Amino acid sequence: MLPYILEQKKNGKKIGFVPTMGALHKGHLSLIEASQKENDLTVCSIFVNPTQFNNPEDLEKYPRNDKEDIEKLEAIGCDILYLPTAEDVYPGGMHSSEFDFGGIENQMEGECRPGHFNGVATVVNRLFRVTSPDAAYFGEKDYQQLAIVRKLMEIENFGFKLVGIPTFREKDGLAMSSRNVRLSPEFRAEAPKIYQFLLKAKDLCQNQDFKTVQKTIQEDFSKTELQLEYFKICDQNTLVEATSREEGKNYRAFVAVFAGKIRLIDNLQIC
Ligand code: AMP
């Protein structure tokens, strides 16, 4: 555990933790604000984790803005920034551990980005041990990641609280993402369609079956400049793709698209 955090915990302080990859935006800040409301001290970490990138160009071009990030964290009154080096996070060498998450790691983001969730879980596991929080805050923007972290906490017996925070959006509905700054003006203008189609799916699923909704939305995307990677409707708890609706269950639609070279994801509870 980091010595400063150990000292604060000995003094009875409650620690909230918000792991990020930096290039902070209002979505990240909403996680920090949630932590500040519920804890005595909030730790934010910034580490662009190489092992969760399956695409080297995406890793190389990932926006890095430490100076601006520090200003934003100071302005919001975040107590502690943990800005580790790769050696701090990977003292034994840069490789992922292998986890068995019971199958959710092999679909959607796991299927499209092989090794991604082992990379995520490896870094989160390490960061949880170093910060030893009382609560950790993750965004629903990365809903499958939130499910993976929940499983990781079971596997590794972390006893603290995991909090999911709703997706923070631009005025036009585009989910905030560090990657948005890399969008060309043309693709930035096209990207709000992702949320518009999620809302449309929510509307359609009131009186249409999931397969029909999926087909309609796939057709809608095919008429845009966005290259659809997947549009899926899944059981919100198991993340298993759903073909029909069962009473008492909630469902969520998940999207991944390429806007030019920039990959964007989003999701919405639809029923
Ligand atoms: P990242 O820096 O992209 O790894 O994200 C760090 C944390 O912020 C993750 O828990 C994300 O799910 C969360 N996050 C990213 N974008 C948003 C957003 N627009 N709204 C809420 N949380 C977000």
Side-chain angles (χ1 to χ4, degrees):
M1 201 191 310
L2 295 170
Y4 181 74
I5 294 181
L6 180 63
E7 195 184 310
Q8 295 303 319
K9 282 180 81 91
K10 275 189 191 152
N11 292 335
K13 302 283 189 209
K14 249 177 94 181
I15 310 287
F17 178 45
V18 180
T20 79
M21 297 203 298
L24 300 179
H25 51 68
K26 286 181 187 156
H28 296 118
L29 300 183
S30 71
L31 270 59
I32 292 172
E33 278 166 351
S35 168
Q36 287 174 322
K37 280 193 191 119
E38 296 178 3
N39 301 280
D40 301 311
L41 290 171
T42 292
V43 185
C44 171
S45 68
I46 296 179
F47 180 66
V48 181
N49 175 36
T51 65
Q52 73 187 67
F53 284 81
N54 57 320
N55 174 347
E57 190 185 341
D58 189 25
L59 172 61
E60 188 203 327
K61 300 239 167 95
Y62 197 85
R64 290 161 172 90
N65 266 323
D66 288 352
K67 194 168 162 282
E68 271 179 43
D69 286 348
I70 290 168
E71 284 166 10
K72 286 178 188 164
L73 291 172
E74 279 177 348
I76 197 179
C78 181
D79 304 285
I80 303 164
L81 165 62
Y82 180 49
L83 195 65
T85 62
E87 289 70 34
D88 291 330
V89 178
Y90 291 99
M94 181 86 72
H95 42 72
S96 304
S97 310
E98 298 266 325
F99 294 89
D100 178 359
F101 294 112
I104 53 167
E105 71 274 35
N106 299 324
Q107 45 197 13
M108 296 194 286
E109 290 306 281
E111 190 179 352
C112 297
R113 304 181 69 188
H116 172 64
F117 286 124
N118 276 330
V120 168
T122 302
V123 73
V124 169
N125 192 14
R126 172 79 183 166
L127 292 171
F128 279 177
R129 287 173 197 285
V130 166
T131 56
S132 188
D134 296 279
Y137 297 79
F138 285 77
E140 289 185 350
K141 156 84 171 31
D142 302 282
Y143 199 87
Q144 195 179 2
Q145 170 174 280
L146 182 60
I148 290 282
V149 173
R150 193 167 289 122
K151 289 255 181 213
L152 173 75
M153 292 183 64
E154 272 169 38
I155 294 169
E156 298 290 325
N157 279 315
F158 287 112
F160 55 84
K161 187 167 77 161
L162 176 65
V163 185
I165 302 292
T167 303
F168 203 94
R169 297 179 181 282
E170 301 285 357
K171 281 206 177 71
D172 59 15
L174 176 64
M176 292 208 178
S177 163
S178 303
R179 289 186 175 86
N180 291 353
V181 294
R182 295 189 54 215
L183 292 169
S184 67
E186 292 73 22
F187 280 115
R188 175 64 189 81
E190 198 75 342
K193 289 182 179 159
I194 300 168
Y195 185 55
Q196 286 163 19
F197 293 160
L198 282 169
L199 290 174
K200 181 173 175 181
K202 182 175 174 168
D203 198 35
L204 291 178
C205 90
Q206 292 188 357
N207 48 26
Q208 290 182 20
D209 64 84
F210 289 159
K211 276 281 153 222
T212 313
V213 174
Q214 185 185 39
K215 199 158 162 277
T216 306
I217 301 295
Q218 284 169 339
E219 279 169 15
D220 285 345
F221 272 110
S222 72
K223 293 174 201 143
T224 73
E225 295 301 312
L226 305 168
Q227 188 72 42
L228 182 65
E229 199 167 19
Y230 63 76
F231 173 86
K232 290 194 174 173
I233 297 174
C234 299
D235 180 309
Q236 179 159 279
N237 286 325
T238 61
L239 296 195
V240 172
E241 191 167 4
T243 45
S244 61
R245 192 170 169 169
E246 279 177 51
E247 215 33 61
K249 289 193 172 172
N250 294 118
Y251 296 91
R252 197 167 268 263
F254 294 84
V255 183
V257 300
F258 277 95
K261 285 187 159 184
I262 313 304
R263 191 170 180 280
L264 302 174
I265 59 170
D266 201 350
N267 66 82
L268 186 72
Q269 184 178 340
I270 58 166
C271 54

